[in-house]
């Protein structure tokens, strides 16, 4: 009998141990399942919020953050509506982070000047607004909560971008006359003018563009609508994407104060109060920022002009280029290291907002212009033929004339209406 009672006592102990093990397994099964389900919900929140923000990351950063926050809050994870912080300071570890996504290298840079992507981190952690995920059966084992977070990156990309953005609001803000071929490859034309004749087309132009978007209307002379890309009227205006681009510091004048002369010459970055005035010679410019006063940029004749990794800030005077062998490539932080290379990445010419002088660029087959050409308060006349007039033109007003070829290798960094957004991570 004593042995039987002893065995019953051992059975009771084993039963208790077995119950604890079963409870532990139940805790693991239920609470691990809860964690997995909550993680999936958080991923949905991050995906949706990042996509919502990416729609506006280029055109309206404030709205981009608003939308990311709003969409996150409309979703639930672990029984809680998810709050994400706006992170207006764009701290890299924040909930909503703007940056530039490089699809070639699969990298996200939150310090990039011109963002094209939004990263959202949705959190159920003790340090977050939403708190940690509260566990149930696992409390028996001493685990009261779990920290879970998921993130996503959505990019504003797609097949089209604005190769030519016209900011002005007057009549014929964009004029194309004569018989030029205007090729924007995979880029779009955007005219912000609300005027009923905001775009004026005449002659027999050939326009190769993915989209032709007009806020206002158009007037045609000698050309019919079926001879040009569809003219999409009543479109949404695109805000100047470079409106916040700061003017570079001027600094002390260079000596000599004008880039001029014949022969073979090498020039350094800095402030040239006389500007550029060239009709001949071979001129090589070192990478950097060139600030031009006086005549602005005046290049013609038999000039050979090589400017790689350079941005020209036109403080005074117009941009007049009529002939010569020219190459201009913009600042690129992957290739160069100097003050301002990150700020002015991809900007080749930036005419000061206080400088309203109109300019003319007559291209030739010996010219190669890359990067963005920014004339926020200027009319620019484009004619002639060149292999590349740049990647993008942003100007108050543009007039294209003649019988030549105007090519803009649009890089897609300025959005056009209807562009798609997509998840990249």
């Amino acid at each position: 009998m004593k042995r039987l009672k002893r065995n019953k006592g051992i059975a009771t102990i084993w039963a208790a141990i077995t119950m604890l093990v079963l409870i532990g397994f139940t805790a693991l099964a239920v609470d691990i399942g809860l964690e997995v389900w909550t993680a999936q919900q958080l991923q949905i929140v991050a995906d949706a919020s990042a996509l919502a923000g990416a729609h506006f990351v280029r055109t309206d950063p404030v709205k981009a953050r608003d939308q990311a926050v709003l969409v996150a809050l409309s979703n639930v994870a672990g029984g809680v509506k998810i709050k994400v912080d706006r992170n207006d300071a764009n701290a890299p570890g924040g909930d909503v982070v703007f940056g530039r996504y490089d699809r070639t290298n699969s990298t996200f840079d939150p310090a990039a000047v011109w963002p094209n992507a939004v990263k959202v981190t949705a959190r159920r952690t003790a340090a977050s607004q939403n708190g940690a995920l509260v566990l149930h059966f696992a409390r028996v084992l001493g685990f009261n909560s779990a920290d879970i977070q998921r993130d996503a990156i959505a990019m504003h990309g797609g097949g089209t971008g604005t190769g030519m953005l016209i900011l002005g609001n007057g009549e014929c803000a964009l004029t194309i006359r004569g018989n030029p071929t205007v090729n924007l490859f995979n880029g779009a034309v955007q005219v912000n003018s609300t005027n009923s004749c905001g775009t004026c087309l005449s002659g027999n132009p050939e326009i190769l563009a993915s989209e032709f978007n007009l806020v206002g209307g158009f007037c045609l002379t000698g050309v019919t609508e079926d001879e040009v890309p569809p003219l999409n009227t009543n479109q949404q205006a695109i805000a100047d994407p470079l409106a916040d681009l700061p003017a570079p510091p001027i600094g002390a004048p260079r000596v000599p104060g004008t880039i001029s002369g014949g022969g073979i010459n090498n020039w350094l970055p800095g402030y040239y109060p006389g500007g550029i005035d060239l009709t001949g010679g071979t001129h090589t410019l070192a990478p950097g920022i060139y600030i031009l006063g006086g005549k602005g940029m005046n290049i013609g004749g038999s000039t050979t002009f090589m400017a790689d990794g350079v941005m020209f800030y036109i403080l005074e005077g117009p941009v007049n280029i009529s002939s010569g062998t020219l190459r201009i490539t913009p600042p690129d932080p992957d290739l160069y290291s100097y003050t301002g290379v990150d700020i002015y990445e991809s900007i080749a010419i930036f005419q000061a907002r206080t400088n309203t002088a109109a300019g003319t660029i007559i291209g030739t087959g010996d010219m190669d212009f890359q990067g963005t050409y920014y004339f926020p308060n200027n009319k620019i006349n484009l004619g002639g033929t060149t292999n590349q007039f740049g990647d993008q033109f942003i100007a108050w007003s543009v007039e294209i004339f003649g019988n030549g070829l105007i090519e803009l290798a649009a890089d897609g960094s300025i959005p056009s209406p209807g562009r798609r957004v997509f998840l990249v991570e």
Side-chain angles (χ1 to χ4, degrees):
M1 292 294 294
K2 289 183 179 180
R3 179 174 296 180
L4 179 59
K5 289 181 179 179
R6 189 181 303 119
N7 289 341
K8 288 179 65 177
I10 291 173
T12 301
I13 293 171
W14 277 109
I17 292 173
T18 302
M19 288 290 291
L20 287 174
V21 171
L22 290 174
I23 291 172
F25 278 122
T26 301
L28 289 173
V30 173
D31 284 334
I32 287 178
L34 177 62
E35 291 183 44
V36 171
W37 174 234
T38 301
Q40 292 175 339
Q41 290 179 309
L42 286 172
Q43 189 64 63
I44 292 170
V45 174
D47 290 350
S49 180
L51 286 166
H55 272 288
F56 304 98
V57 67
R58 275 299 178 74
T59 56
D60 192 339
V62 173
K63 189 172 183 179
R65 292 189 190 276
D66 288 343
Q67 288 298 306
V69 171
L70 182 64
V71 169
L73 193 59
S74 67
N75 287 271
V76 173
V80 173
K81 289 187 176 182
I82 298 302
K83 299 176 182 178
V84 295
D85 185 73
R86 289 176 54 84
N87 189 28
D88 288 301
N90 209 51
D95 290 352
V96 180
V97 183
F98 293 173
R100 188 164 189 85
Y101 191 82
D102 183 337
R103 281 185 284 176
T104 301
N105 300 308
S106 298
T107 56
F108 177 78
D109 181 9
V113 177
W114 311 118
N116 67 350
V118 176
K119 179 179 180 180
V120 172
T121 303
R123 311 175 198 265
R124 286 298 310 270
T125 64
S128 72
Q129 302 179 74
N130 309 299
L133 177 67
V134 177
L135 302 178
H136 301 290
F137 292 98
R139 289 171 176 268
V140 176
L141 303 178
F143 299 102
N144 296 323
S145 63
D147 284 350
I148 306 172
Q149 66 182 49
R150 291 293 184 270
D151 58 61
I153 300 175
M155 180 178 175
H156 192 156
T160 66
T162 302
M164 182 171 290
L165 172 58
I166 309 302
L167 302 171
N169 196 37
E171 183 177 355
C172 296
L174 172 62
T175 297
I176 302 178
R177 58 181 175 84
N179 305 303
T181 297
V182 182
N183 187 2
L184 279 74
F185 294 92
N186 207 26
V189 177
Q190 168 79 23
V191 182
N192 281 351
S193 175
T194 59
N195 192 283
S196 60
C197 282
T199 296
C200 299
L201 306 178
S202 63
N204 187 31
E206 182 179 8
I207 303 170
L208 306 173
S210 60
E211 297 171 319
F212 206 132
N213 298 310
L214 315 177
V215 176
F218 57 87
C219 290
L220 306 180
T221 303
V223 59
T224 60
E225 285 190 57
D226 60 359
E227 295 176 308
V228 295
L231 299 171
N232 305 316
T233 58
N234 300 313
Q235 298 298 301
Q236 181 181 354
I238 293 179
D240 180 356
L242 303 181
D244 295 327
L245 185 68
I250 294 176
R254 282 282 185 188
V255 178
T258 302
I259 295 178
S260 61
I264 298 175
N265 302 272
N266 295 286
W267 303 93
L268 296 175
Y271 173 38
Y272 291 86
I276 295 176
D277 188 15
L278 296 172
T279 57
T282 298
H283 303 267
T284 302
L285 282 67
I289 309 300
Y290 290 75
I291 300 170
L292 307 179
K295 291 189 175 183
M297 177 181 281
N298 182 39
I299 302 176
S302 59
T303 302
T304 297
F305 187 83
M306 299 290 115
D308 290 313
V310 163
M311 186 195 80
F312 296 102
Y313 181 69
I314 315 300
L315 182 63
E316 299 173 305
V319 172
N320 286 324
I321 299 173
S322 58
S323 61
T325 300
L326 284 75
R327 183 176 70 239
I328 300 175
T329 66
D332 183 345
D334 292 332
L335 300 177
Y336 309 103
S337 178
Y338 56 79
T339 301
V341 68
D342 292 320
I343 296 174
Y344 300 107
E345 179 182 0
S346 83
I347 310 297
I349 293 180
F350 173 9
Q351 190 153 340
R353 297 181 178 91
T354 56
N355 178 5
T356 59
T360 300
I361 301 176
I362 307 296
T364 73
D366 294 323
M367 295 181 185
D368 180 14
F369 299 144
Q370 300 177 29
T372 294
Y373 291 74
Y374 181 43
F375 304 94
N377 285 305
N378 315 94
K379 179 178 181 180
I380 296 297
N381 302 288
L382 298 177
T385 296
T386 188
N387 294 328
Q388 189 168 333
F389 262 97
D391 300 318
Q392 294 168 328
F393 255 77
I394 307 173
W396 184 258
S397 176
V398 169
E399 180 169 344
I400 299 174
F401 61 92
N403 303 308
L405 172 65
I406 307 295
E407 289 188 342
L408 292 172
D411 66 7
S413 66
I414 303 173
S416 60
R419 291 186 66 200
R420 63 190 180 91
V421 298
F422 48 92
L423 293 168
V424 289
E425 287 189 14

